[in-house]
Amino acid sequence: MPGPFSHSGKALAMAQTSVIEAERLATSGQVAAATALLAANARDGDADAAMLLAVWHLRGTPVARDLGRARAALRRAVEIGHVDAALMEVALTANGSGGAADWAAALALLRVAAGGDHVAAAQCALVEGMALDADGGPSSPPRGERLATEPRIVHFRAFLTAAECAHVATVAAAMLEPARIIDPASGRRVAHPIRTSDGAAIGPVHEDLVVRAINMRIAAASGTAVTQGEPLTVLRYRPGQEYRPHLDTIQDADNQRVATMLLYLNGGFTGGETHFPVPGVTVTPRGGDALLFFNTLADDRPDPASRHAGLPVLTGSKWLATRWIRRDPLDPWTLSAEMA
């Protein structure tokens, strides 16, 4: 007998038909008709139509981005029984996309979803094993060891558990792609000139409660607000890959990257050390450890001493997560190509 998160064969066929027709209409330029079709079918109980409408409003194409409407469409999809919509609604509720950030409400939604989905259940178990306050932040601030003063470099041992490391890597794994930047001359995405890893940013839609709690932990460790952080970016380095010496600051940025947090997600590889030439600091990655360093001087100019490198991996694969922290809060939905 179908459960609350299931489609019957007939309902599934009807849902697929409505989605295909809506996409055909949108492709032919009949966007208003496509959105009206999806909205009508969503009201009539088509979860896939509600989900597609939400995705369109989140993506900003073929309709304008509207996070409030996206949340409303997601709510309808969840009411009908769409599992992916339920997990997406949890993430957006926690990070405040389309409304106020509300950890307690997001956790309540996750617990409901966990009753019918093993992915949600696994996330719920991991979150409930964390030592968190009522807003999803750490119950006590992480403590680290200062390795250098100019620039300030702080090493945190066992910042993440093995399960948390595995979760972050798993969330990003399906989205990994070779590092790219935007060529300012052509506007095309081209190979990154100094970073040879594969990477993926965990944006607001994928920022589940485990990732959100980790981002809150990073904010507490760095003395910043969670809203100052760019989306957590996961990098995978295979043998021979590296990140040559560079600064994390962005040239002429109005809202500069003032700090960086590196999360080492695994062991079992050689090479891949994080090296700061000026203070002469080299950190050997260990799964679960984290490294915080500050990128700017007191007057907000880039600090040349913060230049660092990810040395070449010799054997195995190195998994790393990076959170770049800005001077002021930023909107993750409107980040531009400066995030290379």
Side-chain angles (χ1 to χ4, degrees), residues 46-201:
D46 184 343
D48 289 332
M51 182 64 171
L52 182 58
L53 189 58
V55 169
W56 281 5
H57 281 301
L58 290 171
R59 194 172 57 195
T61 181
V63 298
R65 175 172 290 138
D66 188 321
L67 300 180
R69 289 186 176 182
R71 287 282 295 275
L74 279 177
R75 177 91 296 265
R76 179 56 181 153
V78 174
E79 289 171 347
I80 303 167
H82 200 292
V83 176
D84 290 340
L87 292 175
M88 193 177 293
E89 183 183 38
V90 169
L92 301 184
T93 300
N95 61 41
S97 295
D102 191 333
W103 175 267
L107 184 57
L109 289 171
L110 180 62
R111 286 171 174 156
V112 171
D117 177 59
H118 72 279
V119 174
Q123 290 180 15
C124 194
L126 191 49
V127 168
E128 292 184 341
M130 296 176 168
L132 304 176
D133 63 21
D135 296 317
S139 56
S140 58
R143 297 186 179 278
E145 173 191 1
R146 183 172 294 199
L147 303 183
T149 302
E150 296 180 358
R152 181 151 56 107
I153 304 173
V154 185
H155 186 207
F156 295 85
R157 298 188 183 277
F159 188 82
L160 300 179
T161 66
E164 290 166 353
C165 289
H167 180 84
V168 171
T170 299
V171 170
M175 301 184 287
L176 290 174
E177 59 180 16
R180 296 284 187 268
I181 61 170
I182 302 298
D183 180 1
S186 66
R188 293 179 299 180
R189 292 178 65 81
V190 297
H192 200 293
I194 61 172
R195 188 172 77 214
T196 55
S197 62
D198 300 316

Side-chain angles (χ1 to χ4, degrees), residues 8-315:
S8 69
K10 183 177 179 180
L12 181 60
M14 292 176 61
Q16 291 173 338
T17 300
S18 70
V19 165
I20 291 171
E21 176 62 12
E23 290 178 331
R24 185 194 67 77
L25 288 169
T27 301
S28 66
Q30 302 177 71
V31 176
T35 54
L37 175 64
L38 291 177
N41 286 344
R43 288 193 296 270
D44 289 342
D46 184 343
D48 289 332
M51 182 64 171
L52 182 58
L53 189 58
V55 169
W56 281 5
H57 281 301
L58 290 171
R59 194 172 57 195
T61 181
V63 298
R65 175 172 290 138
D66 188 321
L67 300 180
R69 289 186 176 182
R71 287 282 295 275
L74 279 177
R75 177 91 296 265
R76 179 56 181 153
V78 174
E79 289 171 347
I80 303 167
H82 200 292
V83 176
D84 290 340
L87 292 175
M88 193 177 293
E89 183 183 38
V90 169
L92 301 184
T93 300
N95 61 41
S97 295
D102 191 333
W103 175 267
L107 184 57
L109 289 171
L110 180 62
R111 286 171 174 156
V112 171
D117 177 59
H118 72 279
V119 174
Q123 290 180 15
C124 194
L126 191 49
V127 168
E128 292 184 341
M130 296 176 168
L132 304 176
D133 63 21
D135 296 317
S139 56
S140 58
R143 297 186 179 278
E145 173 191 1
R146 183 172 294 199
L147 303 183
T149 302
E150 296 180 358
R152 181 151 56 107
I153 304 173
V154 185
H155 186 207
F156 295 85
R157 298 188 183 277
F159 188 82
L160 300 179
T161 66
E164 290 166 353
C165 289
H167 180 84
V168 171
T170 299
V171 170
M175 301 184 287
L176 290 174
E177 59 180 16
R180 296 284 187 268
I181 61 170
I182 302 298
D183 180 1
S186 66
R188 293 179 299 180
R189 292 178 65 81
V190 297
H192 200 293
I194 61 172
R195 188 172 77 214
T196 55
S197 62
D198 300 316
I202 302 176
V205 167
H206 299 287
E207 189 188 20
D208 60 46
L209 293 200
V210 178
V211 176
R212 180 67 175 180
I214 290 170
N215 284 336
M216 295 285 283
R217 194 180 306 167
I218 292 170
S222 59
T224 60
V226 69
T227 51
Q228 291 173 242
E230 295 179 20
L232 191 67
T233 296
V234 176
L235 306 173
R236 179 186 61 195
Y237 294 83
R238 299 183 188 274
Q241 293 185 323
E242 63 180 316
Y243 200 165
R244 291 189 284 275
H246 63 283
L247 297 174
D248 281 353
T249 48
I250 302 170
Q251 185 175 358
D252 301 324
D254 291 329
N255 187 10
Q256 190 57 269
R257 287 173 171 168
V258 296
T260 299
M261 190 75 150
L262 304 181
L263 309 178
Y264 301 111
L265 300 180
N266 71 313
F269 62 92
T270 61
E273 297 88 353
T274 304
H275 176 60
F276 295 81
V278 173
V281 171
T282 300
V283 176
T284 299
R286 189 180 72 172
D289 284 2
L291 194 69
L292 170 69
F293 53 93
F294 292 81
N295 302 314
T296 56
L297 301 167
D299 59 5
D300 209 32
R301 289 183 298 118
D303 184 353
S306 69
R307 184 177 297 275
H308 60 286
L311 300 183
V313 172
L314 302 178
T315 63

